Amino acid sequence: MAKFYNIEPMWKTVQKYGIHYIALQGGRNIGKSYQVKYKLLSEAYINNTELIYLRREAEDIKTDLCCGYFADVDVKKITEGEYDTIIVYQKKIYWARSGDDGTIEEKKLLGYTHALRLAGHQKSVLYPNVTDIIFEEFIPDGVPYLPHEPLKLQEYCSTIF
């Protein structure tokens, strides 16, 4: 049986020392992404803040892929029943509640989806409520890094925060 990753000890260290960047590495399917996603979504809901789901390429932030990323989150538990799903529409992420017929009855902005390759388009745009960025799959699998990727990431974070 696989042992799932527990981010709580790391999270306490992050808070204690004010760490700005966390890069988690490890085997597949041990819960790294899930734990971080769940923690940051919980924090966003409790604190009424927003986050960004960042991927390297524009193809990676298509609506269906982003919805799939959030599909395993127990939204009802995080929001104490206020919302029951997360939807993505026009590169924005929303907490949402669906009606009996499946239509969205209510939604509230949770954050944004961005591609690092297109980060220059975000310059001069304000994101005052964004407190966290989840940069998924930051180690490319069989594809090259972007030219000057560390600098692009640093500049992107500077733009957002």
Side-chain angles (χ1 to χ4, degrees), residues 78-149:
I78 291 174
T79 67
E80 298 177 344
E82 185 174 359
Y83 300 101
D84 58 21
T85 191
I86 292 175
I87 61 170
V88 179
Y89 180 70
Q90 294 186 341
K91 309 282 187 255
K92 292 181 181 175
I93 307 165
Y94 296 92
W95 299 109
R97 182 175 58 247
S98 52
D100 293 336
D101 61 357
T103 59
I104 300 302
E105 292 182 342
E106 184 179 344
K107 65 182 182 178
K108 178 183 172 192
L109 186 64
L110 167 59
Y112 308 87
T113 63
H114 290 165
L116 187 58
R117 182 175 293 280
L118 305 175
H121 297 284
Q122 304 305 323
K123 290 184 178 178
S124 300
V125 178
L126 300 177
Y127 296 95
N129 296 324
V130 170
T131 57
D132 295 289
I133 299 170
I134 302 172
F135 185 18
E136 272 292 342
E137 304 298 333
F138 68 94
I139 298 176
D141 187 18
V143 295
Y145 287 97
L146 298 175
H148 311 289
E149 186 165 321

Side-chain angles (χ1 to χ4, degrees), residues 26-38:
R28 294 183 55 79
N29 298 319
I30 61 171
K32 299 178 307 296
S33 292
Y34 181 81
Q35 290 294 321
V36 169
K37 174 176 32 178
Y38 195 87

Side-chain angles (χ1 to χ4, degrees), residues 3-8 10 24-26 30-32 35-36:
K3 182 177 180 182
F4 287 100
Y5 197 85
N6 179 3
I7 68 164
E8 286 305 318
M10 177 206 60
L24 298 179
Q25 298 181 50
I30 61 171
K32 299 178 307 296
Q35 290 294 321
V36 169

